[in-house]
């Protein structure tokens, strides 16, 4: 679906619908500059233009393009604009503006419950109900992405294991992803590939679903074994088409939410990461490379987004941990393993030096401000970042917005 093709009200996100229809938000919108100096529009979203015959003008400086703002209107009058097809246009002159947080609107009650969104992803498959539900859960998490943490990119990386026809079934319900998000120039980027391609984009939210990858560092595997194509009646197909439009609108809202965590949740997240890495380590062999430190925080954040929750709950952590564990075990059964897991935990060079320099000073399970970590490491900033990324992937640290936390080593070396 292309975002500019949406014509039905139910296809709009809640943010778009409220800004367009609720008088409370009459002077709230997403800034788009006009070619004339000082003039600008307030659109309903980056993807939905305001088609009203009105334009704003700032007495001093107009707000920056590409952000949601609320403006204070001081004067209104009409003016003749030739590039408005020679029509009279309302000019709203403003005396001030402030940034507007639309996430509260994005979190408001949805047309579909989040369980119905997960249910939507079950429709391509025929097979055992529990297994289909797990695939659908993984699909919903992938669709709703995950916000970045610190300077790390966001998004969900999914390693898909199954036959070619099952891969085709997996991709089918992702028509809900807007066409604009299939381009790597988009902040929200979704890639589906049966080749283990290298994505050059390094910022924003990068979601990759790769069929049987060898190099992708995955947040979660998606295993398909006996699932086959579900035969869908024409009437039900029309219902699914309407649901897809609703889910796209809810997805646009979800992507505006950055779920927060508390100290209690951070502790629960850390315990879940210990659990994941222990399970992955003991598996001996698996056919995929696992993002050991970052998977659970990203997946839990995505699950909170799916529910339109502003905070992550313990139940979210448990849900994604159980889903990861089930899929990891199933993958090991249906796919030949080529990766010796213990090798994925080896630290060498700068990453090893960084870990033990920080461990000797701060120990484990203690948040270390980035500034203190860089100072203690005495490393070039680029080398520090590369070493930190290696620790993160291999399960030796967690990364927060302003700090990193070392995890206890697997073996005291």
């Amino acid at each position: 679906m292309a975002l500019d093709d949406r014509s039905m009200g139910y296809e709009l996100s809640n943010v778009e619908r409220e800004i367009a229809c609720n008088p409370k938000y009459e002077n709230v919108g997403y800034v788009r500059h006009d070619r004339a100096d000082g003039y600008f529009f307030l659109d309903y979203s980056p993807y939905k233009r305001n088609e009203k015959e009105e334009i704003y003008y700032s007495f001093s400086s107009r707000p920056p393009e590409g952000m949601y703002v609320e403006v204070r209107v001081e004067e209104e009058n009409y003016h003749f604009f030739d590039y408005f097809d020679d029509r009279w246009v309302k000019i709203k002159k403003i005396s001030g503006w402030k940034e507007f947080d639309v996430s509260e609107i994005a979190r408001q009650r949805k047309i579909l419950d989040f369980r119905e969104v997960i249910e939507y992803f079950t429709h391509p498959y025929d097979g055992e109900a529990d297994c289909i539900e797990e695939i659908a859960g993984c699909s919903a998490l992938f669709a709703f992405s995950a916000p970045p943490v610190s300077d790390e990119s966001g998004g969900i990386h999914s390693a898909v294991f199954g036959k070619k026809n099952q891969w085709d079934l997996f991709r089918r319900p992702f028509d809900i992803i807007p066409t604009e998000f299939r381009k790597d120039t988009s902040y929200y980027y979704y890639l589906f590939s049966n080749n283990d391609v290298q994505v050059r984009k390094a910022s924003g939210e990068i979601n990759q679903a790769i069929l049987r990858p060898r190099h992708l560092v995955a947040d979660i595997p998606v295993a398909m074994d006996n699932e086959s194509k579900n035969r869908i009646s024409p009437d039900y197909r029309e219902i699914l088409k309407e649901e897809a439009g609703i889910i796209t609108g809810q997805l646009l809202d979800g992507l505006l939410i950055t779920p927060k965590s508390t100290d209690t949740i951070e502790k629960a997240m850390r315990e879940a990461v210990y659990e994941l890495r222990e399970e992955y380590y003991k598996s001996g062999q698996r056919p995929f490379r696992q993002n050991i430190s970052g998977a659970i925080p990203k997946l839990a954040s995505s699950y909170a987004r799916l529910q339109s929750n502003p905070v992550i709950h313990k139940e979210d952590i448990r849900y994604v941990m159980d889903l990861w564990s089930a899929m990891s075990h199933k993958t090991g059964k249906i796919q030949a393993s080529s990766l010796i897991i213990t090798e994925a935990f080896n630290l060498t060079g700068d990453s090893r030096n960084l870990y033990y320099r920080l461990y000797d000073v701060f120990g484990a399970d203690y948040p270390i401000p980035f500034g203190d970590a860089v100072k203690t490491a005495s490393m070039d900033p680029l080398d520090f970042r590369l070493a930190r990324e290696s620790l993160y992937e291999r399960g030796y640290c967690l990364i927060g917005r302003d700090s990193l936390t070392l995890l206890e080593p697997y073996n005291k070396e």
Side-chain angles (χ1 to χ4, degrees), residues 4 9 27 64 76 79 94 116 122 127 138 209 266 284 315 389 404:
D4 57 3
N27 294 311
E76 295 184 4
H79 187 76
I94 72 166
E116 294 176 289
T122 66
C138 292
E266 292 291 340
E315 293 80 5
E389 289 175 353
L404 65 85

Side-chain angles (χ1 to χ4, degrees), residues 84-100:
F84 272 94
D85 297 327
D86 297 330
R87 294 196 301 270
W88 291 89
V89 175
K90 181 187 288 187
I91 299 177
K92 295 184 174 183
K93 295 182 179 180
I94 72 166
S95 59
W97 62 271
K98 61 182 180 181
E99 191 168 359
F100 186 85

Side-chain angles (χ1 to χ4, degrees), residues 189-358:
Y189 176 49
Y190 293 80
L191 172 69
F192 299 83
S193 177
N194 51 10
N195 295 311
D196 205 351
V197 297
Q198 179 69 37
V199 175
R200 301 190 182 278
K201 180 180 173 62
S203 61
E205 299 188 15
I206 305 167
N207 298 277
Q208 297 183 70
I210 307 295
L211 179 63
R212 297 188 294 272
R214 297 181 61 186
H215 305 294
L216 177 76
V217 180
D219 297 306
I220 192 167
V222 183
M224 291 179 282
D225 189 7
N226 297 316
E227 290 74 30
S228 58
K229 182 178 179 180
N230 186 22
R231 298 185 181 278
I232 301 173
S233 69
D235 289 343
Y236 186 45
R237 196 178 300 277
E238 284 302 309
I239 294 174
L240 290 172
K241 185 177 179 180
E242 184 172 309
E243 280 192 9
I246 296 172
I247 293 172
T248 296
Q250 294 190 188
L251 173 65
L252 295 178
D253 282 330
L255 295 177
L256 295 172
I257 301 172
T258 301
K260 303 293 190 297
S261 60
T262 63
D263 290 343
T264 301
I265 290 300
E266 292 291 340
K267 181 180 178 183
M269 205 97 73
R270 191 163 62 246
E271 291 171 353
V273 171
Y274 275 121
E275 182 182 345
L276 180 149
R277 73 174 199 173
E278 185 71 15
E279 187 173 328
Y280 185 64
Y281 186 79
K282 287 183 176 180
S283 66
Q285 288 187 316
R286 279 289 185 268
F288 63 94
R289 295 174 62 192
Q290 175 67 42
N291 177 6
I292 299 167
S293 295
I296 296 302
K298 289 169 67 175
L299 295 170
S301 187
S302 175
Y303 191 51
R305 269 184 170 180
L306 175 63
Q307 301 168 81
S308 301
N309 282 341
V311 295
I312 299 171
H313 297 113
K314 285 186 177 180
E315 293 80 5
D316 303 335
I317 298 171
R318 192 69 260 163
Y319 173 83
V320 299
M321 183 63 207
D322 289 346
L323 189 59
W324 176 87
S325 182
M327 280 296 182
S328 181
H329 287 174
K330 189 174 179 182
T331 302
K333 293 178 181 178
I334 69 171
Q335 184 73 26
S337 300
S338 58
L339 175 65
I340 299 174
I341 297 301
T342 53
E343 295 177 358
F345 290 84
N346 292 338
L347 290 180
T348 58
D350 287 341
S351 61
R352 180 183 175 87
N353 292 337
L354 174 61
Y355 180 83
Y356 283 106
R357 284 178 189 175
L358 296 181

Side-chain angles (χ1 to χ4, degrees), residues 113-178:
D113 181 79
F114 79 95
R115 297 175 188 85
E116 294 176 289
V117 176
I118 295 176
E119 179 69 20
Y120 169 82
F121 285 99
T122 66
H123 80 258
Y125 307 102
D126 185 27
E128 188 176 334
D130 288 346
C131 295
I132 292 175
E133 187 76 15
E134 289 168 356
I135 296 170
C138 292
S139 298
L141 294 179
F142 181 82
F144 277 75
S145 186
V149 175
S150 183
D151 56 355
E152 302 290 324
S153 61
I156 303 294
H157 293 180
S158 299
V160 182
F161 294 92
K163 302 178 180 69
K164 180 62 169 61
N165 65 305
Q166 293 167 327
W167 165 246
D168 292 338
L169 294 179
F170 173 81
R171 291 185 300 167
R172 181 172 297 174
F174 286 102
D175 287 345
I176 64 164
I177 303 298

Side-chain angles (χ1 to χ4, degrees), residues 362-380:
F362 300 101
D365 300 326
Y366 173 84
I368 309 167
F370 286 134
D372 293 346
V374 172
K375 184 177 179 180
T376 302
S378 299
M379 296 171 65
D380 175 83

